[in-house]
Amino acid sequence: DLGEYDRARDVYGMAIDRLGEDFMDQHVFISFAKFETRLKEYERARAIYKYALERLPRSKSQALYNQYTLFEKQHGDREEIENVVATKRRMLYEAAVKKDEHDYDTWLDYARLEEETASIEDPQSIERARDVYERAIAEHPLVAEKRLWRRYIYLWLNYALFEETVAQDIGRARQVYLACNELLPHKSFTFAKFWLQYAWFEIRQLDVTAARRALGMAIGKCPKDKLFRGYIEMELELREFDRVRILYSKYLEFNPTNCTTWVEFAKLEMALGESERCQALFDMAIDQPTLDMPEVLWKAYIDFTYDLGDFDKTRSLYGRLLTLTDHVKVWISLAQFEYAVALDAEKLTAARSVYERAYKRLKELGLKEERMALLEAWGDVETEDRMGDFSLVEKKMPKRVRKRRELEDGSLEEYFDYVFPDDEEQGARFKLLAKAHLWKQKARKSDASSINNESREMETADSS
């Protein structure tokens, strides 16, 4: 109040010296910093806050830190504010990883924080990020279970990317990949993401041999679908089609049931103009005893022969497929194919022939909903074609009726059923035959009884 600012500073300095580190109090520093702030000595105030935060333990500096945050928001620039926020987050992360050293999500967030503040122009920021990564990867899972390693492996992958892209230390990035490779328990499990990221790293360093060696080693140790696909994608980028063929062959030896792989291999041969190779691959594929998605494979083969204009082969494929399945979509597809390839005058006849065969077959199998779907598709053709006759379909259309059925627990459940006209006719004829058979049996019984009566009468007459 007397304007003796220098003497006031001396008093604050004496208080700090006399108290020493053992009895240092955060409120003394807060008061000192606020004093400098009132005098608009913002740099002095900032220096006081930083000096105190470096020396006081976190447990005794929460109020000090809050005041420092408020000070920077009021008087600091954007960089200073970001530093304050980062410092606060560091404190939270440190407390979390101290509580649980295997909390990999927190380690990842902590490392990401240091990456965001790291810059090649600031070596200290690079070292801070490295220090966090090194501390994190040192806490590896104690049990070789993949679920425990799944998050941990991202620490290594992010560390390697940090060294390559932020620190721009290629040699150190390669060391990170190699160290991770030594640590992973490949005999128990592996991570395709690690191998693929390492391979692409070597590609970026123009070392294709090292990339191929890495992926070859990975497939040899623990083959996986993702590894094969990644390796094939890399060779496709390099336009090494002979190597791609070899990889597809190895892939299909490893997993011959994968229809997507068969189709992609065939499409590659088609793109390279090798239609005979493509057809041979499809023929091999449909002869496999087990396939995970056969409908995808058959559709691709049928589309391939159709695009080539080999309609006889397409028709033959539909025939083979219908020996394996009676799915209504296959029948509809066949009818649409016959309608598309036939001459204009024969389009409807060809399609109707297929629809009638399909209807008869689905009726034999008792598939009512499928028959309804077939009739709807058939009706669309008859409606859209100028020579069509929708009455052919209309007279086959079913009625939708409500019925009840008994469940296992004895309760009744209502459901909707389709009643087809030809089923009703067949049912009526069956009832008529049943009644005729019953009448015939009654007639035989009545004839037999009358004969017995006549024989009794004759015996009575003879005896008299």
Side-chain angles (χ1 to χ4, degrees):
D1 291 340
L2 297 175
E4 298 287 341
Y5 303 131
D6 291 335
R7 293 186 65 183
R9 288 192 183 99
D10 292 339
V11 172
Y12 278 119
M14 289 172 59
I16 294 170
D17 291 338
R18 293 287 178 86
L19 289 172
E21 294 186 0
D22 294 335
F23 300 98
M24 197 175 292
D25 188 274
Q26 59 180 335
H27 296 288
V28 175
F29 291 101
I30 293 172
S31 177
F32 192 4
K34 285 184 176 180
F35 164 75
E36 296 291 357
T37 303
R38 287 198 300 272
L39 299 179
K40 298 185 178 180
E41 294 286 350
Y42 301 128
E43 291 302 322
R44 284 176 177 268
R46 183 174 289 111
I48 293 168
Y49 279 123
K50 289 184 177 180
Y51 175 87
L53 287 171
E54 289 175 359
R55 284 161 177 76
L56 287 174
R58 289 174 189 152
S59 59
K60 297 181 180 180
S61 60
Q62 188 60 47
L64 177 68
Y65 182 80
N66 293 337
Q67 287 297 322
Y68 178 41
T69 304
L70 183 63
F71 167 80
E72 289 293 355
K73 287 181 179 179
Q74 292 175 344
H75 307 290
D77 55 15
R78 180 177 178 180
E79 184 178 353
E80 290 293 340
I81 294 172
E82 289 178 350
N83 287 337
V84 171
V85 173
T87 303
K88 185 173 184 179
R89 289 174 63 188
R90 284 189 190 101
M91 294 169 62
L92 294 174
Y93 290 142
E94 286 289 348
V97 297
K98 186 177 181 181
K99 184 178 180 181
D100 182 4
E101 296 175 344
H102 294 90
D103 185 359
Y104 300 123
D105 288 327
T106 300
W107 279 117
L108 287 167
D109 291 338
Y110 194 178
R112 194 175 297 116
L113 168 67
E114 297 299 349
E115 278 196 47
E116 290 172 355
T117 59
S119 171
I120 193 67
E121 290 83 13
D122 184 5
Q124 288 186 348
S125 64
I126 298 292
E127 290 302 322
R128 278 201 306 269
R130 280 176 179 159
D131 178 65
V132 172
Y133 274 119
E134 290 291 341
R135 289 167 56 199
I137 61 177
E139 305 298 339
H140 61 80
L142 303 178
V143 182
E145 292 184 17
K146 192 167 185 176
R147 64 182 182 82
L148 301 176
W149 286 70
R150 203 176 296 277
R151 297 297 291 167
Y152 172 72
I153 196 67
Y154 279 97
L155 289 168
W156 286 95
L157 298 178
N158 292 354
Y159 188 11
L161 285 175
F162 165 76
E163 292 292 352
E164 180 188 0
T165 58
V166 181
Q168 299 179 12
D169 191 336
I170 302 303
R172 195 178 180 97
R174 184 175 284 109
Q175 290 176 3
V176 172
Y177 283 118
L178 296 177
C180 182
N181 182 29
E182 292 294 326
L183 183 65
L184 282 173
H186 297 293
K187 291 183 179 180
S188 302
F189 56 83
T190 192
F191 291 94
K193 189 174 183 65
F194 161 74
W195 291 106
L196 293 172
Q197 183 171 311
Y198 175 42
W200 281 107
F201 163 77
E202 294 293 1
I203 291 291
R204 289 192 292 273
Q205 312 316 314
L206 306 179
D207 193 346
V208 179
T209 304
R212 286 172 175 157
R213 188 188 306 118
L215 291 177
M217 185 188 306
I219 290 173
K221 286 184 175 181
C222 192
K224 297 175 65 176
D225 288 332
K226 192 173 181 180
L227 279 173
F228 277 107
R229 292 190 178 280
Y231 199 172
I232 289 169
E233 181 184 350
M234 188 186 80
E235 294 295 354
L236 283 172
E237 291 284 339
L238 298 172
R239 298 296 185 267
E240 293 285 350
F241 299 117
D242 289 336
R243 288 182 174 272
V244 174
R245 286 189 176 111
I246 294 171
L247 286 170
Y248 268 126
S249 300
K250 295 291 184 184
Y251 189 5
L252 290 171
E253 287 177 12
F254 165 69
N255 186 6
T257 65
N258 194 322
C259 291
T260 304
T261 308
W262 284 105
V263 172
E264 289 176 354
F265 194 2
K267 285 182 177 179
L268 170 70
E269 296 295 355
M270 189 61 185
L272 297 175
E274 298 285 352
S275 356
E276 292 182 1
R277 280 177 176 264
C278 181
Q279 185 165 338
L281 281 169
F282 276 126
D283 287 333
M284 290 172 60
I286 62 175
D287 287 337
Q288 296 299 313
T290 306
L291 294 168
D292 58 355
M293 293 188 295
E295 67 280 1
V296 173
L297 181 63
W298 280 95
K299 184 180 184 306
Y301 196 3
I302 289 171
D303 291 344
F304 164 71
T305 55
Y306 181 83
D307 293 338
L308 285 181
D310 190 352
F311 300 140
D312 290 337
K313 180 68 176 178
T314 307
R315 194 173 286 110
S316 172
L317 287 174
Y318 272 117
R320 286 186 62 182
L321 182 56
L322 286 171
T323 62
L324 302 174
T325 179
D326 285 295
H327 199 288
V328 65
K329 288 186 178 180
V330 178
W331 284 108
I332 294 173
S333 179
L334 175 57
Q336 292 171 345
F337 161 75
E338 295 292 359
Y339 184 84
V341 302
L343 298 174
D344 290 343
E346 301 174 357
K347 284 181 178 294
L348 268 177
T349 305
R352 283 171 181 166
S353 174
V354 175
Y355 281 122
E356 287 170 357
R357 284 169 51 206
Y359 185 83
K360 182 179 178 182
R361 178 59 180 162
L362 295 176
K363 181 181 176 181
E364 290 174 357
L365 297 173
L367 303 174
K368 293 186 176 182
E369 292 186 2
E370 286 77 1
R371 285 163 71 189
M372 183 63 193
L374 183 80
L375 289 174
E376 289 176 350
W378 187 357
D380 292 340
V381 174
E382 297 288 353
T383 304
E384 293 172 3
D385 194 288
R386 59 187 180 85
M387 301 295 292
D389 183 3
F390 185 73
S391 63
L392 296 174
V393 181
E394 190 174 19
K395 65 183 182 181
K396 295 179 181 293
M397 280 293 185
K399 297 177 183 177
R400 192 165 179 260
V401 297
R402 181 179 295 177
K403 294 184 177 181
R404 290 184 179 183
R405 58 189 168 199
E406 187 175 353
L407 300 178
E408 293 181 358
D409 59 358
S411 61
L412 294 177
E413 178 190 46
E414 285 191 350
Y415 71 99
F416 288 98
D417 191 16
Y418 292 109
V419 178
F420 290 82
D422 46 5
D423 290 347
E424 288 182 329
E425 292 173 4
Q426 185 178 357
R429 286 195 296 270
F430 178 78
K431 289 180 181 178
L432 183 62
L433 290 173
K435 287 181 179 180
H437 182 68
L438 183 62
W439 176 83
K440 192 173 183 180
Q441 285 182 336
K442 288 181 178 179
R444 284 177 179 174
K445 288 180 180 179
S446 62
D447 290 343
S449 62
S450 63
I451 291 171
N452 290 333
N453 291 333
E454 289 178 359
S455 63
R456 288 195 194 97
E457 291 175 359
M458 291 175 64
E459 288 176 358
T460 305
D462 292 340
S463 62
S464 60

